[in-house]
Amino acid sequence: PPRDSAPPRAARACAAVPAKTGVGRAGSVPAMTGTVLPGTPIAVDFWSLRKAAGARLFFLSHMHSDHTVGLSSTWSRPLYCSPLTARLLHHRLQVALPCPALTPRPLQVPMCWIRPLEVGHSHVVDEVTVTLIDSNHCPGSVMFLFEGTFGTILYTGDFRYTSAMQGEPALRGRHIDCLYLDNTHCQPQRALPSRALATRQAARLIRAHPRHHVVIGVYTLGKEALLVDLALEFSTWVVVSPRRLEQMRLLGLPEVFTAEEGAGWIRAVDVAEIRQDTLVTWNTLHPTIAIIPTGRPVKVTHPNIHLIPYSDHSSFAELREFVKWLKPCSIIPIVKGDTCQVYFQEYLSSAPQVLPDFKVSKPVLESGQQQSQRRGQKPTSLWKRALRCSVPRGVVYESPEKNTEKPEALPDVQVPQCHCEPALCSKEGCTCHRGEKEELSGEQVGTAGATPVSSEHLATGFAEEYLLTPLNVLKRNSPQTFHQLVEDFFRR
């Protein structure tokens, strides 16, 4: 049947909207989900330089506002992201505020700091190899696969898993030491349909209200595919604001969007506009239903507000399938304060972790020894010095396992005899033995006056005694006990 003109835009006002950590209060700032990866120079979606003292490589996974908190015109470091995210960052030049009634403040990150990296290709950035993988979350969103002396880390960011990801060349057959997992929907009781099925549910709901106008609540970025599918399904324009229309054209989406009032009977508005008072206003002018596509719990305040379980985050079943296929050694939840490792313990790999390379730069050793001796202090151990640099203060780090037991020493661990890296092994008769040794240029390791130790022997002994030990065994010991054992090893 023919539809009348689209409902007028309601006055924008603050409203409670779902956030990653629950349902936020009116005007609350989105929770920052960024992280500084301990033991690496990498920060993802983390823009506080004061709290990221050990990081020098900064990556942006996508342009949602809770991932850009702290990113402003004062930013003066290279920022790595996908090409589409770079275009959004350059053209939008603003951060979406939780209260749409306020005027957006300019973002204005200087273009000279935005470094786009092609998706699907590996890039070497300051001795770290990074591969960007489409995360199937929103336009421009990516996962990051980091490889370096710290091992192999996969940071999913926000992502929606599909079985097609198993065909991704960068992930197929890859050993993952640590998986930073989007655990937004990591609850067994929270079942979500695929986005295709959720789209069909929305279409059935619209068909059940043939005389109604339809208002769909979305965020600044995301759910574009749903809007396109419904526009094509019902052969109608989707009315949006001029600013959103400009963004749709930037994303290269099909020409189904317009800013002309009354051109179509489906309208996309900010999700904060879907409230009881706006529904009352819209229905006085014309029968109207509102649809909120979300996988999170939302309180419905009007009978004409309908929730559709359309989510851009992985369901629990999808997370389980993803971890079961990937088999990482450990999992760290991205959404802090919400654990998820217990659900995937049986799928974790028990393979020992091998450090690809172990090198101590000469300037660090010299400066550390000289400064300690000048001050008359005991030389700081290499391990504690590394921890001091790699774990900045103020960063919340959720450990995959927390154990309060404090045994006196590490239990005996059987180390595979032939599981070694060619650059680390010095055993005679081993197939990876190279027969060459590199001295540390007479540098002393540990206490002053110790005999020089070759880097090959040092790396081999350290790897066999500690690095090849499974993490779950290491974490049974208190940090103080473990650090003392490492100090004793270097001293020997």
Side-chain angles (χ1 to χ4, degrees), residues 107 209 227 391 400:
L107 180 59
H209 298 80
L227 300 177
V391 186

Side-chain angles (χ1 to χ4, degrees), residues 51-72:
K51 296 181 179 181
R56 63 179 183 273
L57 303 178
F58 296 87
F59 296 84
L60 174 61
S61 64
H62 62 290
M63 274 294 291
H64 278 162
S65 59
D66 56 335
H67 294 257
T68 58
V69 175
L71 192 57
S72 66

Side-chain angles (χ1 to χ4, degrees), residues 428-454:
E428 294 293 341
C430 183
T431 56
C432 64
H433 178 61
R434 293 185 176 182
E436 296 181 3
K437 300 179 181 179
E438 297 179 358
E439 299 295 330
L440 283 179
S441 302
E443 288 299 327
Q444 296 176 340
V445 181
T447 58
T451 57
V453 182
S454 71

Side-chain angles (χ1 to χ4, degrees), residues 230-247:
L230 293 179
L232 297 177
E233 175 76 16
F234 295 100
S235 300
T236 180
W237 291 96
V238 176
V239 181
V240 296
S241 67
R243 179 174 296 170
R244 191 182 293 271
L245 178 61
E246 182 180 356
Q247 178 172 287

Side-chain angles (χ1 to χ4, degrees), residues 304-462:
N304 282 11
I305 298 178
H306 303 270
L307 303 182
I308 296 295
Y310 186 104
S311 177
D312 289 327
H313 297 269
S314 303
S315 66
F316 178 80
E318 291 166 347
L319 291 176
R320 185 172 55 187
E321 181 182 345
F322 179 66
V323 175
K324 185 177 180 180
W325 166 69
L326 201 60
K327 293 182 175 62
C329 290
S330 62
I331 294 178
I332 297 176
I334 289 179
V335 181
K336 301 172 180 62
D338 188 8
T339 60
C340 66
Q341 303 92 322
V342 63
Y343 300 119
F344 311 117
Q345 200 68 33
E346 61 181 306
Y347 305 129
L348 300 185
S349 172
S350 58
Q353 300 185 49
V354 179
L355 194 67
D357 195 6
F358 187 86
K359 295 180 180 179
V360 181
S361 61
K362 183 175 179 180
V364 173
L365 278 175
E366 288 180 347
S367 61
Q369 292 282 348
Q370 292 172 358
Q371 290 179 7
S372 299
Q373 291 173 0
R374 280 199 304 268
R375 297 171 185 171
Q377 299 174 346
K378 181 181 178 181
T380 305
S381 69
L382 296 177
W383 184 263
K384 287 189 176 180
R385 197 183 311 153
L387 286 178
R388 208 173 283 170
C389 296
S390 62
V391 186
R393 295 186 299 273
V395 178
V396 179
Y397 173 69
E398 292 291 339
S399 175
E401 299 177 18
K402 292 183 179 179
N403 197 317
T404 57
E405 298 179 2
K406 298 181 180 181
E408 292 300 322
L410 288 170
D412 293 334
V413 179
Q414 296 295 329
V415 180
Q417 296 301 315
C418 296
H419 192 93
C420 51
E421 289 287 332
L424 301 182
C425 183
S426 62
K427 297 178 182 178
E428 294 293 341
C430 183
T431 56
C432 64
H433 178 61
R434 293 185 176 182
E436 296 181 3
K437 300 179 181 179
E438 297 179 358
E439 299 295 330
L440 283 179
S441 302
E443 288 299 327
Q444 296 176 340
V445 181
T447 58
T451 57
V453 182
S454 71
S455 61
E456 194 168 16
H457 284 161
L458 174 63
T460 302
F462 184 73

